[in-house]
């Protein structure tokens, strides 16, 4: 009996051991399965990361190639720039004066840029414009010759006088008119007002020693000639007669300065194109002419009416230098 009990006990222990072993085997098998799954996931992730790394490496190679190409291009451009002549600027200052609403700004922009829209202009204390006149090569340098035009508002003539005193001015444009804003006919009162503004006592402040020394030409432009009727010669004679006292006062300085009188209309473009050629002729040195500038001046003078100015023009030099188109820019 005791032997049977002992055998049962041993059998129970054996069965328990088998059960435990089976349980451990199942856990081990599941762990192995889980491990294999994790290994597969990691392997897939590794392959994906490897593919991304390959793409990144290829992109990096491309970028390095682009940078190398860009660096080569920069070096080439630098070499090309080294071959090009350096550009320097030579500036000539022209001052525009006149009482309010004489059409100074319209006239300034008309001769500096004939394509300007005159309908958008507004009066200001002063506007400055730069007009590229010519480009001339001298050895390894290109000199850009520029007109800087100061357009003073009518109520700031005293301020303009200060600029005349303090700065080197190469040209002076005095603008008067035959009638006020939207005038339909000549206005004698308006003319008298301007004659008073530019009377002999006032003019002496415009022509101080510094101005006389630096200024190459003084132009009186009698604007709004469309208010007069007759042939161009008759219109010019009438306008000059109306402003005879001012012309006489200006001519007192003709031994020291080049004095010119133009009659025209800024709104209609009469004689305005002659101003550019005149300023070039009187201010710009002959060695500063380029071929395009020369062609422009020849065209302007060939189209000029005989009554535009009674002064004799100076023959222009022949120039063969190449040039860029003239530019107009506002100076801020």
């Amino acid at each position: 009996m005791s032997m049977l009990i002992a055998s049962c006990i041993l059998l129970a222990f054996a069965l328990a051991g088998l059960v435990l072993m089976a349980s451990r085997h199942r856990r081990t098998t599941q762990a192995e399965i889980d491990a294999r799954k994790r290994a597969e996931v990691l392997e897939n992730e590794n392959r994906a990361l490897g593919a991304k790394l390959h793409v990144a490496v290829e992109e990096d190679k491309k970028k390095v190639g682009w940078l190398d190409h860009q660096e080569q291009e920069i070096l080439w451009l630098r070499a090309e720039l080294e071959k090009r002549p350096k550009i320097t600027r030579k500036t000539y200052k022209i001052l525009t004066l006149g009482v309010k609403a004489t059409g100074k700004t319209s006239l300034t922009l008309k001769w500096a840029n004939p394509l300007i829209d005159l309908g958008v202009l507004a009066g200001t204390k002063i506007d400055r414009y730069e007009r590229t006149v010519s480009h001339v090569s001298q050895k390894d340098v290109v000199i850009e010759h520029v007109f800087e035009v100061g357009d003073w508002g009518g109520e700031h003539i005293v301020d303009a006088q200060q600029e005349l005193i303090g700065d080197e001015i190469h040209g002076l444009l005095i603008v008067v008119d035959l009638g006020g804003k939207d005038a339909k006919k000549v206005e004698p009162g308006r003319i008298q007002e301007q004659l008073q503004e530019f009377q002999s006592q006032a003019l002496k402040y415009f022509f101080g020693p510094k101005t006389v020394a630096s200024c190459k030409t003084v132009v009186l432009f009698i604007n709004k000639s469309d208010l007069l009727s007759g042939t161009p010669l008759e219109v010019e004679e009438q306008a000059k007669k109306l402003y005879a006292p001012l012309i006489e006062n200006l001519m007192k300085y003709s031994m020291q300065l080049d004095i010119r009188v133009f009659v025209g209309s800024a709104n209609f473009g009469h004689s305005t194109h002659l101003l550019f050629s005149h300023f070039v002729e009187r201010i710009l040195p002959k060695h500063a002419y380029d071929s395009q500038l020369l062609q422009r001046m020849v065209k302007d003078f060939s189209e000029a009416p005989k009554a535009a100015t009674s002064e004799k023009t100076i023959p222009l030099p022949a120039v063969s230098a190449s040039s860029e188109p003239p530019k107009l820019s506002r100076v801020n």
Side-chain angles (χ1 to χ4, degrees):
M1 186 69 179
S2 60
M3 291 290 295
L4 180 61
I5 293 171
S7 297
C8 289
I9 292 171
L10 290 174
L11 181 60
F13 276 113
L15 289 174
L18 290 174
V19 170
L20 180 61
M21 291 178 62
S23 176
R24 288 179 178 176
H25 177 71
R26 285 196 300 272
R27 286 199 297 272
T28 302
T29 301
Q30 185 63 42
E32 290 177 353
I33 294 172
D34 293 341
R36 283 197 296 271
K37 288 181 178 179
R38 286 196 297 272
E40 289 177 1
V41 170
L42 291 174
E43 186 176 354
N44 290 335
E45 290 178 354
N46 186 52
R47 282 196 295 267
L49 290 173
K52 289 181 180 180
L53 178 61
H54 177 74
V55 171
V57 170
E58 292 300 319
E59 288 182 353
D60 188 60
K61 288 181 180 178
K62 288 181 181 179
K63 290 177 181 179
V64 171
W66 291 339
L67 289 173
D68 289 342
H69 177 74
Q70 189 175 35
E71 185 176 0
Q72 292 174 5
E73 187 175 2
I74 290 172
L75 292 174
W76 180 82
L77 289 173
R78 284 178 179 173
E80 290 298 309
L81 288 174
E82 289 293 329
K83 297 177 185 177
R84 296 184 180 184
K86 296 178 175 60
I87 297 178
T88 61
R89 286 165 59 92
K90 174 65 176 175
T91 302
Y92 309 86
K93 297 187 70 172
I94 299 172
L95 213 58
T96 303
L97 302 173
V99 303
K100 189 173 182 180
T102 54
K104 297 181 305 302
T105 302
S106 296
L107 181 62
T108 297
L109 294 177
K110 209 53 169 165
W111 72 261
N113 181 12
L115 301 180
I116 193 70
D117 180 7
L118 300 181
V120 299
L121 301 180
T124 58
K125 178 178 180 179
I126 183 171
D127 273 328
R128 296 192 187 275
Y129 302 93
E130 286 189 351
R131 168 69 186 270
T132 299
V133 180
S134 65
H135 294 84
V136 178
S137 299
Q138 292 184 356
K139 295 182 180 180
D140 59 342
V141 176
V142 172
I143 301 178
E144 181 183 34
H145 296 274
V146 177
F147 281 164
E148 181 187 295
V149 186
D151 174 25
W152 280 92
E155 64 274 28
H156 301 284
I157 290 181
V158 174
D159 296 324
Q161 289 176 345
Q162 294 300 317
E163 184 169 356
L164 279 168
I165 294 171
D167 294 349
E168 187 178 75
I169 303 299
H170 300 91
L172 182 61
L173 175 60
I174 300 174
V175 183
V176 295
D177 63 11
L178 298 167
K181 186 177 181 181
D182 301 323
K184 302 299 181 183
K185 62 180 181 179
V186 174
E187 299 176 351
R190 170 80 171 174
I191 295 172
Q192 288 302 315
E193 175 191 345
Q194 293 172 87
L195 288 173
Q196 182 66 27
E197 185 72 38
F198 294 108
Q199 60 180 303
S200 180
Q201 293 299 314
L203 287 177
K204 67 180 183 181
Y205 294 106
F206 290 98
F207 301 119
K210 190 164 187 176
T211 301
V212 171
S214 63
C215 190
K216 304 298 183 183
T217 185
V218 176
V219 175
L220 172 66
F221 192 95
I222 304 175
N223 196 19
K224 304 177 186 177
S225 62
D226 51 287
L227 298 179
L228 294 170
S229 59
T231 65
L233 182 58
E234 291 171 342
V235 167
E236 179 173 337
E237 289 177 348
Q238 293 177 65
K240 287 183 176 180
K241 186 176 180 180
L242 291 168
Y243 275 100
L246 175 53
I247 295 173
E248 182 180 348
N249 288 331
L250 286 172
M251 287 304 172
K252 293 177 183 178
Y253 299 92
S254 60
M255 297 298 293
Q256 302 165 287
L257 296 164
D258 173 68
I259 307 292
R260 297 298 178 94
V261 180
F262 286 86
V263 177
S265 171
N267 285 335
F268 291 91
H270 300 160
S271 301
T272 55
H273 62 293
L274 296 177
L275 283 174
F276 175 75
S277 295
H278 173 76
F279 283 130
V280 168
E281 178 189 331
R282 289 297 173 180
I283 296 175
L284 202 67
K286 295 300 182 283
H287 62 76
Y289 287 53
D290 61 23
S291 59
Q292 183 168 344
L293 174 62
L294 182 62
Q295 292 171 8
R296 161 73 187 272
M297 293 182 66
V298 169
K299 181 176 182 292
D300 284 351
F301 282 126
S302 66
E303 295 177 353
K306 293 182 179 179
T309 176
S310 58
E311 300 290 342
K312 184 178 179 180
T313 58
I314 297 176
L316 302 177
V319 181
S320 59
S322 60
S323 66
E324 297 179 10
K327 299 176 291 184
L328 175 74
S329 59
R330 185 168 179 171
V331 182
N332 295 323

